[in-house]
Amino acid sequence: IVMDFKHPDGRTVAIMLPRCSLLVMAGESRYLWTHGITPRKYDVIQASELGQKVGTITADVGDLTLNRRETRTSFTFRKVRRGPCNCIYPSVCDSQKGRQRQVQPSFPHDEVEASKLEQEYVHKVYEEIATHFSSTRHSPWPRIVEFLRSLPKGSVVADVGCGNGKYLGINEDLYMVGCDRSRNLVDICGEKNQEAFVCDALQVPLRSGSCDACVSVAVIHHFSTAERRLAAIRELVRLLRPGGTALIYVWAMEQEYKNQRSKYLKEKHNNKDKEEQIHTGTSQRPLSDQMPDNSSQNSAHSDLLLNEPKDEGCDAKPATATRLPVHTNRTSFHSQDVLVPWHLKGTAKKKEESADTVLFLADSKESQELSPVFHRYYHVFCEGELEAACRSLDCVRVQKSYYDQGNWCVVLEKL
């Protein structure tokens, strides 16, 4: 019979187990890889061995055949650890995952804590999910495209927090340069022959007044204090020449606005179908890329990690003495400062300890699957909050503010 092994990065290996054999697993195969025997009537095996030899099933089509299964009797022996564990596989270790759940982050009290929170729950996460994240960010948002196409020919434009660079080539009449904190996302821009470099949005290495326009899309909501969010806006203004404009998008607390639900909420029940479309490459989604977490499924386990305070509305201040709540994807927000799960799919380079790895038990027709879950910090903005922050800066005029599918948006001008 054939036993299937699966690595957290998506690799799979099929192993032939002959009759009366004993399989001893140690190291990665025992602790990091998942294994199981998938229910089916036939196995694909090596024809040359006829199932008589332990070995990996290769992809040599000329040496493969079908082998009908018969009655199988198997025994599994495991040694159970009773004490704490410090193994080198923390992402899949029940003992170490338990310790991780006890040290979930609190709302930062100062700049040092804020920087550490963002490093762990923003920067490190995006490095890990960059490839999967990029695969879900391919459709430009119409109103951002409209802004870029309205700029004069030859304008110099900086995309601060450019991600995978989906806006860098929107208007060929502009000279656009992108920057992002994630090296892996910047590398994706490079693969598209786009101009982009790695930097922090609080310290962009461009000359003051050198840009005709700036865009900041889904970036500022990742800063964990009001002072740091304001500093990010101030940095955009510094880059602008007098008369230059900046477009800013942040995620909104109000996912239901003027009696209409955002696409983020509407897609809750359609998420499974949409995932299948993403993997087959057939989906056309002009607006669904607009959501910061359009690829993640509802996180049933999230509520088990943290106690989420139910702060209704935008009048409540963040409770700095409590741990950050974990948001349940595709639902309304109950707190402005949250951790949003990202369920990683496809191939990833590695898994850091910052990921809470969850083992989902499938039904009898499916083998077990390992799905890493990363948590990203967000501060979701209330109505008027982004506009007020912009107006607090000298030499800035707010040209326009609007709501766009679950995001608060501002166009500002440097006076």
Side-chain angles (χ1 to χ4, degrees):
I1 203 163
V2 172
M3 176 173 282
D4 297 307
F5 285 77
K6 184 174 182 180
H7 193 274
D9 67 9
R11 287 177 288 156
T12 59
V13 176
I15 303 293
M16 165 57 68
L17 304 180
R19 293 178 182 273
C20 301
S21 62
L22 174 67
L23 177 66
V24 180
M25 288 175 281
E28 280 197 5
S29 66
R30 169 66 181 89
Y31 298 106
L32 190 60
W33 294 64
T34 58
H35 64 277
I37 298 174
T38 305
R40 54 181 174 242
K41 294 183 179 180
Y42 290 87
D43 281 323
V44 176
I45 66 170
Q46 306 293 142
S48 59
E49 298 172 359
L50 296 177
Q52 299 305 310
K53 182 180 177 182
V54 176
T56 303
I57 309 299
T58 68
D60 184 1
V61 177
D63 190 36
L64 296 179
T65 187
L66 286 177
N67 183 52
R68 185 178 179 87
R69 286 184 176 178
E70 299 177 7
T71 301
R72 170 177 64 91
T73 303
S74 61
F75 299 89
T76 301
F77 298 89
R78 300 180 185 226
K79 182 169 63 176
V80 179
R81 177 185 294 274
R82 300 297 181 185
C85 178
N86 293 303
C87 69
I88 61 173
Y89 311 105
S91 63
V92 290
C93 177
D94 291 336
S95 177
Q96 296 188 63
K97 283 193 298 180
R99 292 202 296 269
Q100 288 175 355
R101 282 195 288 266
Q102 296 171 8
V103 293
Q104 289 293 337
S106 298
F107 186 86
H109 296 294
D110 53 41
E111 286 295 293
V112 174
E113 290 183 5
S115 180
K116 289 181 179 179
L117 175 68
E118 292 159 18
Q119 174 64 27
E120 186 71 20
Y121 290 90
V122 180
H123 309 318
K124 285 179 65 175
V125 173
Y126 277 102
E127 290 290 25
E128 291 296 322
I129 69 173
T131 300
H132 181 211
F133 178 82
S134 178
S135 72
T136 68
R137 297 303 191 269
H138 50 77
S139 299
W141 306 352
R143 299 191 72 168
I144 299 175
V145 172
E146 178 185 345
F147 173 81
L148 291 173
R149 289 180 176 168
S150 70
L151 298 173
K153 183 177 181 179
S155 295
V156 176
V157 183
D159 186 347
V160 180
C162 63
N164 67 349
K166 70 177 180 179
Y167 293 111
L168 296 180
I170 290 296
N171 186 348
E172 295 182 355
D173 291 333
L174 306 176
Y175 179 77
M176 292 196 67
V177 60
C179 60
D180 200 280
R181 180 66 181 262
S182 168
R183 179 173 296 277
N184 289 335
L185 286 173
V186 169
D187 287 344
I188 293 173
C189 296
E191 293 169 2
K192 303 176 185 177
N193 295 318
Q194 296 169 333
E195 297 288 343
F197 57 88
V198 178
C199 78
D200 193 300
L202 297 180
Q203 293 179 315
V204 181
L206 294 176
R207 190 173 66 247
S208 298
S210 59
C211 298
D212 299 295
C214 295
V215 291
S216 172
V217 180
V219 175
I220 294 176
H221 53 214
H222 284 308
F223 289 101
S224 54
T225 66
E227 292 77 15
R228 292 170 72 81
R229 292 188 287 272
L230 185 61
I233 300 173
R234 185 181 292 110
E235 184 69 354
L236 292 174
V237 175
R238 182 189 67 80
L239 299 178
L240 293 174
R241 62 166 176 80
T245 55
L247 174 63
I248 303 173
Y249 267 61
V250 294
W251 209 2
M253 177 87 168
E254 299 84 356
Q255 291 299 305
E256 295 188 42
Y257 186 67
K258 293 185 177 179
N259 297 322
Q260 290 190 344
R261 304 175 73 194
S262 70
K263 199 172 183 69
Y264 175 72
L265 296 183
K266 287 179 180 178
E267 290 190 354
K268 176 177 181 178
H269 300 295
N270 297 328
N271 194 67
K272 183 177 181 180
D273 293 337
K274 182 178 54 156
E275 283 292 338
E276 294 173 356
Q277 290 176 336
I278 290 174
H279 289 294
T280 57
T282 59
S283 64
Q284 296 295 326
R285 299 171 296 145
L287 278 178
S288 62
D289 280 350
Q290 206 156 300
M291 268 51 74
D293 193 49
N294 72 326
S295 73
S296 299
Q297 296 176 344
N298 290 336
S299 180
H301 73 285
S302 296
D303 292 334
L304 301 177
L305 297 177
L306 300 173
N307 295 320
E308 182 171 346
K310 303 298 182 181
D311 296 331
E312 299 291 344
C314 287
D315 295 330
K317 298 287 184 181
T320 58
T322 61
R323 295 177 298 174
L324 289 171
V326 174
H327 174 62
T328 300
N329 291 323
R330 305 290 171 186
T331 65
S332 298
F333 290 103
H334 300 290
S335 177
Q336 281 191 266
D337 298 276
V338 294
L339 298 178
V340 177
W342 179 279
H343 295 249
L344 186 65
K345 300 189 186 305
T347 301
K349 292 183 179 179
K350 61 181 180 177
K351 304 293 177 289
E352 296 286 354
E353 294 183 27
S354 59
D356 298 308
T357 309
V358 181
L359 191 63
F360 294 99
L361 299 179
D363 58 34
S364 60
K365 294 184 180 181
E366 297 179 358
S367 61
Q368 294 177 338
E369 183 177 12
L370 202 62
S371 178
V373 181
F374 294 85
H375 290 106
R376 298 164 297 155
Y377 169 81
Y378 280 87
H379 172 85
V380 289
F381 280 67
C382 293
E383 182 174 9
E385 183 179 352
L386 176 61
E387 185 176 352
C390 293
R391 292 185 187 280
S392 70
L393 298 176
D394 296 332
C395 301
V396 168
R397 180 174 70 90
V398 175
Q399 287 187 348
K400 183 192 304 183
S401 61
Y402 58 93
Y403 180 88
D404 186 9
Q405 281 293 335
N407 299 274
W408 287 116
C409 322
V410 160
V411 178
L412 60 82
E413 176 187 0
K414 183 174 182 177
L415 301 177

